[in-house]
Amino acid sequence: MILLWQFCSTKKTTMTKITIAKGDGIGPEIMNATLNILKAAGAQLEFDEIAIGEKVYLSGNPSGISAEDWATIRRNKIFLKGPITTPQGGGYKSLNVSTRKFLGLFANVRPCQSLHPFVTTKHPDMNVVIIRENEEDLYAGIEHQQTDEVVQCLKLISRPGCEKIIRYAFEYARQQQRKKVSCFTKDNIMKQTDGLFHKIFKEIGAEYPEIAQDHWIIDIGAAKVADSPELFDVIVLPNLYGDILSDIAAEITGSVGLAGSSNIGEECAMFEAIHGSAPNIANTNTANPSGLLQGALLMLTHIGQTKVAENIQNAWLKTLEDGIHTQDIYNTHTSKQLVGTQEFAEAVIQRLGLQPQTLPCANYNNAAAIQIPKYIRKTPRLKELAGVDLFVHWPESDPELLAKKIQELEAEDISLTLITNRGIKVWPEGFKETFCTDHWRCRFKTRSGANMNKADIIQLLSLAHQKNIDIIKTENLYTFDGQAAYSLGQGQ
Amino acid sequence: MILLWQFCSTKKTTMTKITIAKGDGIGPEIMNATLNILKAAGAQLEFDEIAIGEKVYLSGNPSGISAEDWATIRRNKIFLKGPITTPQGGGYKSLNVSTRKFLGLFANVRPCQSLHPFVTTKHPDMNVVIIRENEEDLYAGIEHQQTDEVVQCLKLISRPGCEKIIRYAFEYARQQQRKKVSCFTKDNIMKQTDGLFHKIFKEIGAEYPEIAQDHWIIDIGAAKVADSPELFDVIVLPNLYGDILSDIAAEITGSVGLAGSSNIGEECAMFEAIHGSAPNIANTNTANPSGLLQGALLMLTHIGQTKVAENIQNAWLKTLEDGIHTQDIYNTHTSKQLVGTQEFAEAVIQRLGLQPQTLPCANYNNAAAIQIPKYIRKTPRLKELAGVDLFVHWPESDPELLAKKIQELEAEDISLTLITNRGIKVWPEGFKETFCTDHWRCRFKTRSGANMNKADIIQLLSLAHQKNIDIIKTENLYTFDGQAAYSLGQGQ
């Protein structure tokens, strides 16, 4: 990446080889339209084309891509991807998720700008960029069912994951001369996971004093974005919240057909439209190629061909201003001519060199790939075992009975201190109104306050096995540098 | 609850004793205004008043409520709660979360209706009811940090939790003559947890053929609600999504000051405004009492005093139509008189018996508490141990090295089959581009395909302890009736 970026910034006219995949449904049409525009504007690109998506899945490859084509993507590092169709059922895996995670594409960047009055929107002054963490959170997809009634998914939030995405957001804001970065979490409830994201936001934010910063609880923040998006500038947030918020932001600009996004890693990057493959209008020359075109412009700025990107963006804005619209944004007030996919691309090409009259001109501030430093492991803190949570499958309902049974596992210095059901304390001193499932968490600690030993956990498990107590999972309790790093029971 | 409900439906004029708490900030003003209206309208209520919130917290009680006042709430079962202030820092626990969970208040119901043109909104035709699961999901608040880099929160979704909320939503729709129930999940990613919610929605929905039903992926669904809420009627969804969506829905009606919500359990119920205690405008007689009043009307319908509730609601709508507005909704187009909290309440009282002219009249369809059957445990399925995931804290980076180390734990029929990092497969055959944290999941299964035994897990843990491999947690892998009930690794 570093090589490529130096290369491009000193010799802008040298060809960059990228990988393209036309994808399914409307993919080939919008890709051809986009490539025609890039070519006409003088983008310095060479292409390796690969096949991904429906045909590959249905040929018997559950990952939707061949090993050879993976190798091409990894070699070229820059990937412009058309929308694909994942067949329903049959265990086909999402190529989007695996591409992001295999290639370490940690940042999803989605600019959402309204184009009032040319595209109908309730939010004329909106210009927001959503920067979403792209690899972790509940999207790790680690799920287990261990009792008849309860299913679990792990939400994982990591320090490197947070540092990388938050630093990327601030570097992006600095490069693009944005005024404010807002962080959204639910750290009033998830004090450790979302709390880590918020804490690192404050840590890294301190290095960018020229940029305004604020934090919103996700529920209220999402409500504000939905109602008054003009209050926001750059928003950085964990994966799941980012998934929801970036779709809200795109939709309320007036059309999801107008937005592209980039997926950025330390070495590789992927660029795409945010919409799907729309098989119902495939091969009708009616799709709007703007989403993929916007993805391609993010790509051009990423590889340093910024002036080409600005030229195309200005011609695209002028085309929209001139009322030359595809059917998805056609309206009786500002549209003048209903055009198809290829005709829209030709109208953009005809306007290369022109600038919009009403909408602001594109200015990418000589953008290029944003370099963030490689994550450096921190010095380990002193980690000590403070206890263990044993999770028990027990299909009865009286916590007092369970406590008696579980207390049989106690050793001289090891005792049961707490039982919760779905997080709420039910022993000691629970409420009879509390609804209990068959999934119980039993917390053991030492009576003396001394640390526990791994052998103590093994001893507890062995005894439980002997006594037919069905332990389905364990969670060790740790302190780091003496600070407890596990939550209390609710009501404890 | 059943006793109470029969009681009220046969003898509507008998007093119901409820618990009230005025709360903090604007709480006392809006509670007094609300109670004045209830009294003037002839609500048959007696009150036990309790103290909760800031003063109780600061007096040294970290739960914000005394044991005696808990007893009052549990005895009366119906609780009308003013907004409270939880002091920052100091380990004070959210009284809202503990009340919901201790009392088993599984359903949060929030009607969000726009009052166009009297309250400014971008969505004049909106009339949505959000029914949010209120006890489980990530709000179990079970968090553990077990390595330097990674923090975990457990998302728990249960069959009884899903059944109760989904049945409640359909019963609500039937009682209120709503046309459609929509379910929102992210089950394309979380196939087991969100998949369970979606599956049960289809199961229970089949019992309500007269009600239209659809399912949306939460990102696209939330975007549609934000842009076009008029497309939706009743929406049922898991806790976290419900938290986000219910705030979006309330905000885009034009004011969060106008909405109340109910929290319904099998025995107890709590009613409140959705907004907070707004200490900045406390004691200024400027707050809008409408949110708490709406909560109180939900309470009146819950206890069968439906006609009183309709009478108040019609007077309230007429007051808004007459342009008698508090400052939060005052606007130059439709407001005629800016009033304070008490004056607004008096204006409503003066209009008791009148009906709105433009807005639709209230009709609660003789609503009363919705009874759903008690959850009955299903017949257990055959649960068999298929393997185990051992999670390892290992602060290095080469998965091949880790695999070699972990393979030392293998036994005759037990072998390492997979290593993932944040869910993505890194061994065998990982990609060097995949970013790895210090938190590794190592999956063991039998070579022969036979079931594993708990003793095998204990043996693995003992050997790991001997070899200084730092196992921080375990997740057992189960099949139920022969079906695998655990996710594959991403890219597996």
Side-chain angles (χ1 to χ4, degrees), chain A residues 147-196:
Chain A
T147 74
D148 282 290
E149 289 178 354
V150 176
V151 192
Q152 171 193 275
C153 185
L154 301 185
K155 167 170 168 156
L156 301 179
I157 299 287
S158 78
R159 174 167 271 277
C162 296
E163 281 194 13
K164 280 162 48 174
I165 194 67
I166 291 166
R167 189 169 294 283
Y168 189 90
F170 279 107
E171 285 293 322
Y172 179 93
R174 184 175 272 175
Q175 183 193 68
Q176 294 297 315
Q177 299 179 13
R178 295 266 177 172
K179 302 282 180 258
K180 188 170 75 168
V181 178
S182 302
C183 170
F184 286 20
T185 73
K186 187 78 192 175
D187 70 340
N188 55 337
I189 298 290
M190 284 167 272
K191 293 181 180 163
Q192 288 183 258
T193 46
D194 285 15
L196 180 64

Side-chain angles (χ1 to χ4, degrees), chain B residues 75-385:
Chain B
R75 188 177 63 242
N76 291 333
K77 300 193 192 306
I78 304 293
F79 181 26
L80 180 64
K81 179 185 149 294
I84 59 171
T85 307
T86 308
Q88 289 293 303
Y92 301 111
K93 283 151 204 158
S94 162
L95 189 55
N96 269 0
V97 172
S98 49
T99 304
R100 289 173 187 174
K101 297 193 67 164
F102 269 131
L103 299 181
L105 308 182
F106 64 89
N108 180 265
V109 181
R110 187 183 291 190
C112 297
Q113 184 172 8
S114 55
L115 299 164
H116 175 80
F118 306 102
V119 176
T120 309
T121 173
K122 294 171 179 139
H123 309 279
D125 300 321
M126 167 173 191
N127 184 358
V128 175
V129 179
I130 310 287
I131 299 188
R132 163 188 172 191
E133 198 288 319
N134 217 12
E135 293 186 285
E136 54 189 37
D137 195 352
L138 290 150
Y139 289 72
I142 306 175
E143 294 187 290
H144 296 87
Q145 179 173 3
Q146 296 155 327
T147 74
D148 282 289
E149 289 178 354
V150 175
V151 192
Q152 171 193 274
C153 184
L154 300 185
K155 167 170 169 155
L156 301 179
I157 299 288
S158 78
R159 174 167 270 279
C162 295
E163 282 194 12
K164 281 161 47 173
I165 192 68
I166 290 166
R167 187 169 296 284
Y168 189 91
F170 278 106
E171 285 293 323
Y172 179 95
R174 183 175 273 176
Q175 183 193 67
Q176 294 297 314
Q177 300 179 14
R178 295 267 177 172
K179 303 281 178 259
K180 188 170 75 168
V181 179
S182 301
C183 170
F184 286 20
T185 74
K186 185 79 193 174
D187 70 341
N188 55 339
I189 298 290
M190 284 168 270
K191 292 180 180 164
Q192 290 182 256
T193 46
D194 285 15
L196 181 65
F197 196 95
H198 187 182
K199 181 179 153 200
I200 294 174
F201 177 75
K202 288 189 283 190
E203 275 176 27
I204 291 179
E207 299 175 36
Y208 299 83
E210 78 279 19
I211 298 171
Q213 300 164 29
D214 57 12
H215 173 264
W216 295 72
I217 299 293
I218 176 66
D219 46 356
I220 301 157
K224 276 288 171 209
V225 170
D227 193 58
S228 309
E230 63 280 3
L231 299 178
F232 296 91
D233 193 345
V234 174
I235 302 175
V236 63
L237 64 189
N239 203 338
L240 176 69
Y241 308 143
D243 185 14
I244 296 172
L245 201 76
S246 61
D247 268 20
I248 291 174
E251 178 84 26
I252 65 175
T253 61
S255 172
V256 292
L258 298 172
S261 80
S262 58
N263 296 274
I264 308 287
E266 289 178 7
E267 293 190 50
C268 301
M270 172 173 79
F271 303 87
E272 59 190 334
I274 69 161
H275 59 72
S277 60
N280 56 321
I281 57 163
N283 303 313
T284 60
N285 191 42
T286 52
N288 189 341
S290 297
L292 188 59
L293 180 65
Q294 290 299 314
L297 299 189
L298 291 168
M299 177 186 76
L300 289 178
T301 58
H302 184 79
I303 62 177
Q305 299 190 27
T306 314
K307 291 297 164 200
V308 182
E310 282 175 359
N311 189 17
I312 295 173
Q313 178 73 353
N314 285 329
W316 178 74
L317 291 170
K318 184 75 168 73
T319 307
L320 294 176
E321 282 188 354
D322 288 348
I324 299 178
H325 291 172
T326 44
Q327 49 89 24
D328 58 315
I329 58 168
Y330 191 85
N331 70 84
T332 48
H333 294 99
T334 61
S335 300
K336 299 228 171 65
Q337 194 186 344
L338 177 64
V339 293
T341 312
Q342 296 309 324
E343 294 72 29
F344 181 82
E346 279 154 31
V348 175
I349 291 168
Q350 282 161 17
R351 284 163 182 76
L352 287 167
L354 301 183
Q355 297 202 330
Q357 305 301 302
T358 307
L359 296 168
C361 275
N363 175 4
Y364 296 141
N365 296 306
N366 291 311
I370 290 170
Q371 300 297 316
I372 62 164
K374 281 221 178 254
Y375 180 77
I376 297 166
R377 283 234 149 96
K378 307 294 178 282
T379 310
R381 287 169 293 161
L382 174 65
K383 186 175 94 163
E384 293 173 296
L385 187 66

Side-chain angles (χ1 to χ4, degrees), chain A residues 31-106:
Chain A
M31 182 64 83
N32 290 336
T34 297
L35 295 180
N36 287 345
I37 297 170
L38 297 188
K39 192 176 167 189
Q44 301 295 299
L45 298 169
E46 293 175 324
F47 306 103
D48 278 331
E49 184 174 346
I50 63 168
I52 58 171
E54 197 167 25
K55 275 187 200 158
V56 184
Y57 283 120
L58 297 177
S59 74
N61 184 332
S63 61
I65 181 171
S66 70
E68 193 180 18
D69 286 343
W70 261 128
T72 303
I73 292 175
R74 294 170 77 183
R75 189 178 60 241
N76 291 332
K77 301 191 192 307
I78 303 294
F79 180 25
L80 181 63
K81 180 185 148 293
I84 59 172
T85 307
T86 308
Q88 290 291 305
Y92 301 111
K93 283 152 204 159
S94 161
L95 189 55
N96 269 0
V97 171
S98 48
T99 304
R100 289 173 187 173
K101 297 194 65 165
F102 269 132
L103 299 181
L105 308 182
F106 64 89

Side-chain angles (χ1 to χ4, degrees), chain B residues 41-90:
Chain B
Q44 300 296 300
L45 298 170
E46 293 175 322
F47 306 103
D48 278 332
E49 184 173 344
I50 62 168
I52 57 170
E54 196 168 23
K55 275 188 198 156
V56 184
Y57 283 119
L58 296 178
S59 75
N61 184 332
S63 61
I65 181 171
S66 70
E68 193 179 18
D69 286 343
W70 261 129
T72 304
I73 293 175
R74 295 169 76 182
R75 188 177 63 242
N76 291 333
K77 300 193 192 306
I78 304 293
F79 181 26
L80 180 64
K81 179 185 149 294
I84 59 171
T85 307
T86 308
Q88 289 293 303

